[in-house]
Structure formats: structure tokens, C-alpha cells
Amino acid sequence: DQQVKQNSPSLSVQEGRISILNCDYTNSMFDYFLWYKKYPAEGPTFLISISSIKDKNEDGRFTVFLNKSAKHLSLHIVPSQPGDSAVYFCAASRRKIQGAQKLVFGQGTRLTINP
Amino acid sequence: EAQVTQNPRYLITVTGKKLTVTCSQNMNHEYMSWYRQDPGLGLRQIYYSMNVEVTDKGDVPEGYKVSRKEKRNFPLILESPSPNQTSLYFCASSLVGYLAKNIQYFGAGTRLSVL
């Protein structure tokens, strides 16, 4: 039962263009969503997050959009740079429950930025 | 430097030979967790710990054990490894509570091969 799904295993984008990574979830109890970035031979690192009370959160070149009615979130990277080439994981959690720390991850999307 | 340290980074072993992967964090985090990453499946939680002497099963606990005798350490034990435990393993830690936003910090990973 995959509660968080990233249906695109890979994405290739030209440098300078916009990268859009998508994520769908099934559990309506999720109230906090995160994106992690992973380089080869390193652990995932936190990139950006969004609470379910918002529909957009922006941090520099990175913006996350949340559409609760569609149970869909997306990560936009503008402009894309070669250093953005990595695997991106979407994750979801239920933050409002006391002690609930569990993150449920998607399968990941490998983003390649071409010069 | 704040970090989560896993050892070893690479390990090749044979079926049935007990092994331990260590994890240590220096951020005084209450919560620690182990994940495994497999192609097409993303990160799946094996075990987690909310604090010292408090551990619980994640989504894929079969064949694994953990202990939390000290706040900073959370070793993963494979009593009798089998080939289906060949995977990339990550340890993570985080603060507990609503304001922590469930942001988890990951180690660099341990690549395990069981022959």
C-alpha cells in the first residue's frame, strides 16, 4: 500500500528551465509534507516543506505547491542548475498527533539537468 | 558539526553471519529511525525509537533488531542476515514535537550485500 507515490522515476530538464517534480498521496490524515534531495553516496537532506494549512511555500529557487483536494504536491525548481541533479524524495507525515514522527516516503524521482 | 554517523559505509557478508550497523547522532535528538532504500520502493522504515529504551517496529521490521541504551546511539542488528536484506540502509534522527516539523537528519548510508 503505497501511500505516497512519485510516478515519474526520472526527469530530464535543460539548464535554466523549470523542473517540476510531482507527488501524490492517498492518506487524507497527512498534514505536513517534505521534499528531500539525495546525491549519490550521501544521505537524503531536507530541502523544503509545507503544512497542510498552506498551498504554497517558497525558498529561493524552490517552491512547493500543495493541492489538498487532489492530494497532490509538486516541487518547482526555477531556474534549474546542474547541481540540482539528484534524486528527490517526497515525504508525508501526521504532525498534529502527539509523538507521531513517522515519515512516509515516495519512491523518488531522479532529476538530471542537462547543460 | 551536527551529524548522524553510520558505520560501516560498505559491508559484504554471508548468509547467517550476525552483523551490527552502528548509528550515532550528536544533536541530542530524541527520535531515531532506520530505513532501507530499495529500487522502486523509496525509503521504508524498519524500526524507530522515540527515546532511550523506547523502540517500536516500522513497516519492514522482519529480520532486524534494534536497541536504544543511550540517547545518541541506535544500532541496527541483523542476527541472521539473508540475501533479501541486501539494501542501502539509512539512519535518521530528529527532535520530537510539533515545532520540530518532523524534519529528519540522515546519515550517509550503509550499503550491505548479503551473499
Side-chain angles (χ1 to χ4, degrees):
Chain A
D1 178 26
Q2 191 79 25
Q3 297 186 67
V4 178
K5 296 181 183 179
Q6 294 175 256
N7 292 317
S8 297
S10 63
L11 176 67
S12 186
V13 174
Q14 198 162 3
E15 182 178 358
R17 299 288 187 110
I18 183 172
S19 295
I20 300 176
L21 294 91
N22 294 304
C23 177
D24 297 296
Y25 62 96
T26 57
N27 190 339
S28 58
M29 300 299 288
F30 289 140
D31 56 16
Y32 203 74
F33 303 89
L34 307 91
W35 284 94
Y36 278 80
K37 178 179 180 179
K38 183 185 177 306
Y39 291 120
E42 295 183 11
T45 55
F46 170 73
L47 184 60
I48 192 170
S49 61
I50 187 167
S51 166
S52 59
I53 63 173
K54 295 186 176 182
D55 54 20
K56 176 183 174 181
N57 187 29
E58 194 171 350
D59 183 2
R61 296 185 297 112
F62 303 91
T63 303
V64 56
F65 295 92
L66 176 62
N67 182 335
K68 282 194 296 182
S69 61
K71 294 190 180 68
H72 177 83
L73 65 155
S74 60
L75 174 68
H76 292 212
I77 306 173
V78 181
S80 300
Q81 299 175 352
D84 297 328
S85 295
V87 176
Y88 290 79
F89 289 100
C90 169
S93 71
R94 297 168 61 182
R95 193 159 61 109
K96 290 179 182 174
I97 297 177
Q98 181 69 25
Q101 297 289 125
K102 184 182 179 69
L103 288 181
V104 180
F105 285 86
Q107 305 96 312
T109 296
R110 181 178 301 279
L111 175 65
T112 302
I113 306 300
N114 302 306
Chain B
E1 180 188 354
Q3 59 185 4
V4 178
T5 304
Q6 294 179 229
N7 281 297
R9 292 291 312 277
Y10 303 91
L11 180 59
I12 301 175
T13 188
V14 295
T15 300
K17 186 176 181 181
K18 181 179 178 180
L19 66 92
T20 299
V21 184
T22 64
C23 174
S24 180
Q25 50 93 5
N26 63 359
M27 295 171 279
N28 202 33
H29 286 168
E30 298 92 346
Y31 181 87
M32 296 186 75
S33 180
W34 277 101
Y35 296 89
R36 60 180 286 174
Q37 182 190 351
D38 300 291
L41 297 175
L43 284 84
R44 294 180 293 166
Q45 190 179 53
I46 302 171
Y47 268 94
Y48 67 95
S49 169
M50 294 296 293
N51 215 323
V52 176
E53 302 292 1
V54 180
T55 63
D56 208 345
K57 297 177 181 178
D59 298 318
V60 287
E62 294 78 19
Y64 304 95
K65 284 176 57 178
V66 293
S67 69
R68 188 92 181 271
K69 294 184 171 58
E70 303 166 286
K71 196 172 187 178
R72 63 182 291 125
N73 296 322
F74 190 45
L76 179 69
I77 303 157
L78 284 73
E79 294 268 2
S80 183
S82 62
N84 64 12
Q85 293 178 297
T86 292
S87 187
L88 179 57
Y89 291 86
F90 291 101
C91 179
S93 72
S94 73
L95 292 169
V96 170
Y98 189 80
L99 294 178
K101 300 182 179 181
N102 283 12
I103 295 174
Q104 295 184 15
Y105 298 85
F106 285 80
T110 296
R111 185 166 291 282
L112 172 65
S113 293
V114 183
L115 305 178

